[in-house]
């Protein structure tokens, strides 16, 4: 009888332990899957540890300043839209067929695990008011040396890339400038009318962007070119 009670209590203890540990096991499993997905789709440009790849022009994702201002929504939109304007090493877009939301969320969890002490920011939807004309003038003085005279990128990111502008909120752009990127060439800038004017300038350059439409336009142009070449041969 005593042995039977011991077995019952022991089994109950193991069951309770399993129930208590299940969320931890699930979280660990998600991190493993997220890391594998990240390695497959992101690491070749951003580095397996998110710190970049020498010679490849891609964002350093494992940066405290970046993770403090990048919401999960921004990361999702960036993956969906890509960065099409870069002449080389352009970031492709990943639609829901290539990467369902579930897998994108696992990739984001992997990125968050680099700095678990940093919580994902929650954006309020605040719009930044400013003068885009003054912002352009200040941009050329303070930002163009790294980000390009036309926002095409250089040492820093391509800020007028349609994928970037359609992913980044006003809050993200403002806080990125205010906080800078520790360990990089981008210093922090105190919040000021000049900085808000820069945000307004960048926002004024945003145009609607849909990678699927661009893909269809590319196919149509390719067909037209092929048809024209065929006519010439005749």
């Amino acid at each position: 009888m005593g042995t039977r009670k011991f077995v019952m209590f022991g089994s109950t203890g193991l069951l309770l332990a399993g129930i208590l540990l299940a969320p931890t096991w699930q979280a660990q499993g998600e991190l493993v899957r997220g890391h594998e997905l990240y390695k497959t789709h992101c690491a070749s440009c951003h580095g397996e540890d998110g710190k970049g790849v020498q010679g490849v022009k891609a964002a350093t994702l494992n940066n405290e300043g970046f993770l403090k201002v990048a919401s999960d929504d921004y990361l999702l939109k960036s993956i969906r839209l890509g960065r099409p304007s870069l002449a080389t090493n352009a970031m492709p877009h990943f639609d829901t067929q290539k990467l369902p939301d579930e897998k994108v969320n696992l990739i984001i969890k992997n990125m968050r695990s680099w700095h678990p002490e940093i919580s994902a920011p929650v954006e309020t939807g605040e719009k930044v008011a400013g003068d885009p004309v003054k912002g352009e003038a200040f941009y050329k003085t303070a930002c163009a040396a790294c980000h390009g005279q036309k926002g095409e990128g250089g040492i820093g990111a391509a800020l007028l890339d349609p994928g970037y502008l359609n992913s980044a909120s006003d809050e993200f752009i403002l806080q990125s400038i205010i906080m800078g990127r520790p360990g990089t060439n981008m210093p922090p800038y105190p919040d000021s009318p000049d900085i808000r004017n820069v945000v307004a300038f960048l926002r004024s350059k945003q145009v609607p962007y849909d990678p699927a439409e661009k893909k269809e336009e590319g196919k149509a142009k390719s067909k037209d070119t092929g048809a024209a070449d065929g006519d010439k041969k005749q």
Side-chain angles (χ1 to χ4, degrees):
M1 190 68 178
T3 302
R4 190 174 298 173
K5 285 184 178 179
F6 176 78
V7 172
M8 289 176 63
F9 285 134
S11 300
T12 302
L14 288 173
L15 178 61
L16 288 172
I19 293 172
L20 292 172
L21 290 173
T24 302
W25 291 336
Q26 181 181 356
Q28 289 298 324
E30 289 179 346
L31 281 180
V32 170
R33 289 178 62 203
H35 181 62
E36 291 302 316
L37 287 165
Y38 176 87
K39 280 201 304 183
T40 300
H41 299 287
C42 316
S44 60
C45 291
H46 296 286
E48 190 167 335
D49 58 359
K51 294 182 178 179
V53 174
Q54 188 172 3
V56 178
K57 188 177 179 181
T60 303
L61 303 177
N62 189 351
N63 181 283
E64 293 180 39
F66 173 74
L67 291 173
K68 284 179 179 177
V69 300
S71 67
D72 288 355
D73 183 63
Y74 167 79
L75 296 174
L76 173 64
K77 287 179 179 177
S78 292
I79 291 170
R80 290 282 178 249
L81 297 178
R83 296 290 185 267
S85 72
L86 299 179
T88 57
N89 300 320
M91 177 180 168
H93 75 280
F94 293 88
D95 58 29
T96 53
Q97 290 185 330
K98 292 179 184 177
L99 276 178
D101 283 351
E102 176 198 2
K103 291 185 176 181
V104 173
N105 289 332
L106 290 174
I107 290 174
I108 293 173
K109 283 185 179 181
N110 172 70
M111 293 172 59
R112 295 287 178 205
S113 73
W114 293 329
H115 288 282
E117 76 281 3
I118 298 175
S119 299
V122 178
E123 296 189 356
T124 64
E126 175 193 358
K127 298 297 182 183
V128 174
D131 184 329
V133 175
K134 292 180 179 178
E136 182 175 11
F138 190 80
Y139 172 89
K140 289 180 178 179
T141 301
C143 315
C146 290
H147 294 284
Q149 288 291 326
K150 297 180 179 180
E152 72 277 14
I155 299 173
L159 299 180
L160 295 188
D161 180 280
Y164 173 77
L165 287 177
N166 283 279
S167 300
S169 66
D170 286 8
E171 288 176 80
F172 173 81
I173 299 173
L174 178 64
Q175 292 303 319
S176 291
I177 299 172
I178 292 172
M179 297 189 69
R181 292 288 187 269
T184 74
N185 290 320
M186 182 170 175
Y189 289 86
D191 192 357
S192 69
D194 286 332
I195 297 305
R196 290 175 177 262
N197 288 340
V198 169
V199 176
F201 160 63
L202 295 176
R203 184 61 65 210
S204 73
K205 297 299 182 180
Q206 180 180 349
V207 295
Y209 175 67
D210 184 341
E213 289 183 3
K214 291 295 181 182
K215 188 175 182 180
E216 291 302 317
E217 287 177 11
K219 287 181 180 179
K221 287 181 180 179
S222 179
K223 286 181 181 179
D224 292 343
T225 302
D229 290 342
D231 292 341
K232 287 179 182 178
K233 289 179 181 178
Q234 291 176 2

